[in-house]
């Protein structure tokens, strides 16, 4: 009939478009066009009551940072099973397996978002100190005994900081750890860098994994010399296991991915230079991030 009408359309699985008003006149045709857009096939993760600075990862990909109000929303999660992980510097991470359906809002709060503090143990391990318990000890050997072993349990995430020190060996031994380098930006490769024998900013040995290769540089008196370079492919955000040995006149390392085998990536030898007296840690420039898990030192 002739007159004014409001036309609405609805289709399951699509967003309802705004209604259209039309005026139907006698002996005329009135046409109305609607553009239907599919409903987003996503779910939402909500974090409430976490400490500011806590980082939220979904399937190992950074998803959100907890703000000053202790809350965060991740509203673009595809339906399916996902691993949600909460991480914060100097705290043990927490992981959750959750199944998301279209339109779901899954909330983590209360005890779920409370992360326990990571504890660094610098005392000797029982098997190392057992002989000392039955034998007299002198003041001369006490400082070395305190460095026979150390362990940082769980995982820590550090952002920036340049040369971040983890330990000073004092005695010959080796370090083991798992680490994951991260860098912001679309399609950028992560970079993982650690150092040993650090005396100052002009004297140290730097190990680098850039996603395609592994390199070792010796920096001495401010001059950097490439000692070793070899192919070593590792996907962005993939964990790498490392074994680093430190001796009075040499340092070196080997690495592996979870599904790979060990690869020696090179070593540096230098007579007259005691690498055991230098610092060991990670080089994290700018806003880059490095996650480190189960960092250990042993003289065995």
């Amino acid at each position: 009939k002739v007159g004014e009408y409001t036309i609405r359309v609805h289709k399951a699985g699509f967003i309802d478009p705004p209604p259209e008003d039309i005026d139907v006149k006698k002996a005329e045709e009135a046409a109305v066009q609607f553009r239907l857009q599919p409903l987003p096939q996503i779910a939402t993760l909500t974090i409430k009551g976490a400490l500011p600075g806590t980082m939220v990862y979904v399937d190992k990909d950074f998803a959100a940072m907890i703000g000053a109000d202790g809350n965060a929303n991740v509203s673009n999660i595809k339906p399916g099973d996902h691993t949600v992980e909460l991480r914060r510097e100097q705290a043990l991470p927490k992981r959750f397996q959750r199944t998301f359906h279209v339109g779901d809002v899954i909330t983590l709060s209360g005890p779920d978002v409370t992360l326990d503090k990571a504890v660094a143990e610098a005392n000797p391990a029982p098997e190392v100190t057992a002989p000392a318990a039955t034998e007299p000890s002198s003041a001369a050997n006490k400082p070395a005994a305190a460095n026979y072993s150390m362990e940082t349990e769980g995982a820590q995430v550090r952002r920036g900081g340049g040369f971040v020190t983890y330990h000073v060996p004092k005695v010959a031994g080796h370090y083991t750890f798992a680490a994951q380098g991260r860098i912001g930006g679309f399609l950028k490769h992560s970079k993982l860098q650690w150092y040993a024998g650090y005396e100052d900013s002009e004297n140290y040995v730097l190990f680098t994994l850039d996603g395609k290769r592994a390199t070792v540089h010796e920096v001495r008196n401010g001059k950097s010399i490439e000692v070793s370079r070899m192919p070593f492919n590792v996907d962005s955000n993939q964990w790498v296991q490392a074994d680093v040995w430190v001796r009075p006149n040499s340092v070196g390392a080997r690495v592996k991915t979870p599904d790979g085998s060990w690869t020696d990536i090179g070593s540096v030898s230098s007579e007259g230079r005691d690498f055991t007296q230098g610092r060991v840690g990670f080089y994290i420039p700018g806003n880059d991030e490095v996650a480190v898990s189960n960092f250990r030192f042993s003289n065995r």
Side-chain angles (χ1 to χ4, degrees), residues 77-97:
I77 298 178
K78 295 180 180 179
D81 296 331
H82 296 283
T83 300
V84 179
E85 185 172 3
L86 303 181
R87 306 175 188 168
R88 193 178 67 253
E89 184 177 337
Q90 298 181 348
L92 300 179
K94 275 191 177 180
R95 297 180 182 87
F96 306 89
Q97 290 292 133

Side-chain angles (χ1 to χ4, degrees), residues 158-166 193-195 198 201 204 206 279 281-288 290:
R158 294 296 299 261
R159 170 178 288 183
F163 291 95
V164 179
T165 300
Y166 266 64
Q193 300 181 93
W194 67 91
Y195 59 87
Y198 182 98
S201 60
Y204 57 92
L206 184 67
R279 289 181 279 172
F282 293 86
Y283 179 61
I284 315 172
N287 289 321
D288 288 7
V290 169

Side-chain angles (χ1 to χ4, degrees), residues 234-273:
V234 56
D235 294 335
S236 295
N237 293 329
Q238 187 174 15
W239 285 87
V240 175
Q241 187 173 346
D243 183 10
V244 182
W245 64 87
V246 180
R247 299 171 186 141
N249 59 0
S250 68
V251 295
R254 60 177 186 161
V255 295
K256 70 183 293 292
T257 56
D259 56 353
S261 56
W262 286 105
T263 299
D264 288 319
I265 61 173
S267 61
V268 173
S269 298
S270 183
E271 294 295 335
R273 186 176 180 181

Side-chain angles (χ1 to χ4, degrees), residues 149-201:
S149 66
M150 65 85 67
E151 177 176 354
T152 301
E153 298 179 353
Q156 299 178 343
V157 177
R158 294 296 299 261
R159 170 178 288 183
F163 291 95
V164 179
T165 300
Y166 266 64
H167 190 238
V168 180
K170 298 295 186 182
V171 294
H174 70 93
Y175 293 88
T176 58
F177 57 84
Q180 180 189 46
R182 306 191 184 99
I183 187 169
F186 182 59
L187 292 181
K188 288 187 178 180
H189 279 287
S190 61
K191 182 179 286 189
L192 177 63
Q193 300 181 93
W194 67 91
Y195 59 87
Y198 182 98
E199 299 174 14
D200 51 43
S201 60

Side-chain angles (χ1 to χ4, degrees), residues 12-25:
F14 289 81
I15 299 174
D16 290 345
E20 290 284 347
D21 294 327
I22 64 170
D23 184 12
V24 179
K25 297 179 180 180

